[in-house]
Amino acid sequence: MPTLSGIAPADAYDYLVLARQKLLGWVQKLTLEQFAREFPIGHRSARATLVHVASAEWGYVRRLRGEPVPPPGERPFASSAAQPLAPLEAAWAAQAEETRRTLREVDDWTRPLVFESVTAGRRRRFRTTTGGWRSSCSSTRSTTGPGDVHAQADGLPGGEPRLLNPGLRGGGRGGLTVP
């Protein structure tokens, strides 16, 4: 199985799944009101944050396979946005098997990966590698890996993309760039 920085991505993902199970164990103890309670940052609730991460994983797998990714509201996990944790947890466990299988099938972690995404009406074009995308967009927000992710917002002036966190550049670490 090909590795990325000496680690098989499917093995790293197995560790992530174990960490996620521990997190979900804590979330299971929340009441539905606590799970859905809005707060002023991020995705506005624990539920919305988990739905976003699960949906991002689903989209990541589709992009690795070269398949189209519909807008967030049309993705399978969108229906979990108004449900308690149990259905989301079950769907995410099924997705984990699909993610694991896809990670094992990738034979070149340097393969170019180019796609467009529209979020909140803003279109962005991403150019990266299979390994760079995995490392920059994993649910742990790790940015280690060989590739940089470059985001270019269509229609905005600006020339070359800039690195959001210059401290991430160098030593084989990737980073996310935007114009």
Side-chain angles (χ1 to χ4, degrees), residues 117-130:
S117 178
V118 178
T119 304
R122 189 171 176 193
R123 181 179 303 275
R124 290 187 172 157
R125 176 170 294 145
F126 293 85
R127 296 176 315 227
T128 187
T129 64
T130 49

Side-chain angles (χ1 to χ4, degrees), residues 1-171:
M1 176 184 324
T3 64
L4 184 63
S5 301
I7 299 172
D11 293 341
Y13 180 74
D14 285 340
Y15 179 79
L16 183 141
V17 169
L18 290 174
R20 180 167 63 214
Q21 288 170 342
K22 188 171 188 171
L23 172 69
L24 292 175
W26 292 326
V27 174
Q28 288 170 349
K29 296 174 185 173
L30 299 176
T31 65
L32 182 56
E33 178 187 349
Q34 291 170 322
F35 182 50
R37 180 178 298 146
E38 288 199 13
F39 45 83
I41 61 170
H43 292 281
R44 305 244 181 246
S45 72
R47 175 171 53 197
T49 300
L50 291 175
V51 168
H52 168 76
V53 174
S55 183
E57 180 177 323
W58 179 85
Y60 164 63
V61 167
R62 302 229 356 158
R63 286 188 175 105
L64 279 179
R65 294 178 181 165
E67 299 172 1
V69 177
E74 298 174 22
R75 297 177 191 175
F77 285 95
S79 64
S80 299
Q83 296 180 357
L85 178 62
L88 170 62
E89 198 171 12
W92 209 348
Q95 177 60 49
E97 290 305 316
E98 200 61 24
T99 300
R100 193 175 286 110
R101 184 176 63 75
T102 300
L103 292 174
R104 287 190 176 114
E105 291 172 353
V106 173
D107 59 0
D108 180 5
W109 289 102
T110 63
R111 178 175 51 92
L113 186 61
V114 178
F115 62 93
E116 287 187 358
S117 178
V118 178
T119 304
R122 189 171 176 193
R123 181 179 303 275
R124 290 187 172 157
R125 176 170 294 145
F126 293 85
R127 296 176 315 227
T128 187
T129 64
T130 49
W133 180 248
R134 179 208 58 85
S135 61
S136 296
C137 297
S138 71
S139 61
T140 59
R141 297 294 186 235
S142 168
T143 53
T144 59
D148 288 340
V149 176
H150 300 277
Q152 178 77 41
D154 289 348
L156 292 181
E160 290 298 310
R162 63 182 163 70
L163 194 60
L164 284 178
N165 185 344
L168 297 177
R169 171 83 82 190

